[in-house]
Amino acid sequence: LLTGDQKIEDRTERLPPGQRRVTDWPVLDLGLQPSIPLEKWHLTVDGLIENPVLLSWEDLNAQPAFEDVSDIHCVTSWSRFDNYWEGVATAHLLALVKPKAKARHVIMHSYDGYTTNVTLEAFGAADALIAYRWEGGPIVCQHGGPVRLVIPQCYFWKSPKWIERIELVEEERRGFWETRGYHNVGD
Ligand SMILES: Nc1nc2c(c(=O)[nH]1)N[C@H]1C(S)=C(S)[C@@H](COP(=O)(O)O)O[C@H]1N2
Ligand SMILES: [Mo]
């Protein structure tokens, strides 16, 4: 059926423009894959918040569990559908640390030195999580285990592997790829 009058914004295609679907899971990073033993792993949340925290692996696992199924879109043109993630909702983390009124942006720092930035709103999206499981098992090191971020509404460079620190700030600061020409929003 050709209606001829369908507006472009009405399109509901799941694959973004220029993407191809893959069923494997490519590995992309800076080439350093830090291995962090669970007893040494920790996540710092600091900056413009009322309750700065330093979470151990046990602390993270004691938080309410959240699960979500989402698609991955990497800007190098592959998309991977229906990834089942388990972890802690970023919305829950924000409720725990209580952002101050001035907080607007989130800078995420990883154990390999990688950084990336999103708005506080994008960070706290209803489907975003601090993930420690994928498809029912632990996240392997090459995909950012033991713990990575997953922000499904953004391209995948906004989902840091080996997350170490989440910093809330007022003024935006661009991360590794954002200072090298990648789109600042990447939604
Ligand atoms: N710590 C860290 N996180 C990172 C990166 C990185 O180099 N280091 N690369 C980003 C990019 S560009 C992509 S596409 C995805 C790749 O994740 P994957 O290797 O699990 O597919 O991780 C993102 N998160
Ligand atoms: Mo990427």
Side-chain angles (χ1 to χ4, degrees):
L1 176 72
L2 292 171
T3 64
D5 59 358
Q6 193 186 9
K7 289 200 246 48
I8 201 150
E9 53 271 31
D10 292 338
R11 290 194 327 200
T12 53
E13 276 148 40
R14 193 170 171 186
L15 208 55
Q19 294 291 107
R20 81 196 140 81
R21 187 178 173 184
V22 300
T23 50
D24 60 341
W25 187 5
V27 174
L28 282 100
D29 51 49
L30 306 176
L32 300 162
Q33 297 184 340
S35 69
I36 309 117
L38 293 183
E39 66 275 12
K40 292 222 177 104
W41 183 87
H42 55 82
L43 172 64
T44 300
V45 189
D46 63 3
L48 294 175
I49 52 179
E50 302 294 342
N51 296 327
V53 293
L54 177 66
L55 299 174
S56 68
W57 172 251
E58 285 74 28
D59 295 334
L60 186 71
N61 280 267
Q63 302 302 317
F66 175 78
E67 55 178 49
D68 187 61
V69 175
S70 60
D71 297 346
I72 294 171
H73 303 292
C74 174
V75 74
T76 61
S77 87
W78 56 271
S79 293
R80 189 178 196 290
F81 290 172
D82 293 324
N83 296 273
Y84 171 49
W85 300 102
E86 294 169 83
V88 175
T90 53
H92 170 77
L93 184 81
L94 292 178
L96 190 74
V97 300
K98 298 189 175 35
K100 293 185 177 171
K102 278 183 158 183
R104 290 282 179 277
H105 297 274
V106 180
I107 321 294
M108 297 170 282
H109 307 257
S110 295
Y111 282 94
D112 61 341
Y114 185 78
T115 55
T116 187
N117 61 290
V118 289
T119 63
L120 182 57
E121 192 185 4
F123 179 85
D127 55 1
L129 75 159
I130 301 158
Y132 46 64
R133 289 172 77 78
W134 172 82
E135 298 295 327
I139 299 174
V140 296
C141 175
Q142 63 177 354
H143 287 300
V147 183
R148 76 174 296 160
L149 255 288
V150 178
I151 303 180
Q153 301 308 316
C154 296
Y155 276 90
F156 211 32
W157 84 82
K158 299 280 192 185
S159 289
K161 314 205 277 194
W162 312 293
I163 188 73
E164 181 178 22
R165 177 178 172 213
I166 294 168
E167 184 189 7
L168 274 70
V169 296
E170 180 176 4
E171 303 289 340
E172 169 180 285
R173 245 161 43 217
R174 293 182 182 219
F176 184 87
W177 285 119
E178 292 83 3
T179 55
R180 288 163 176 81
Y182 277 30
H183 195 276
N184 194 40
V185 177
D187 58 352

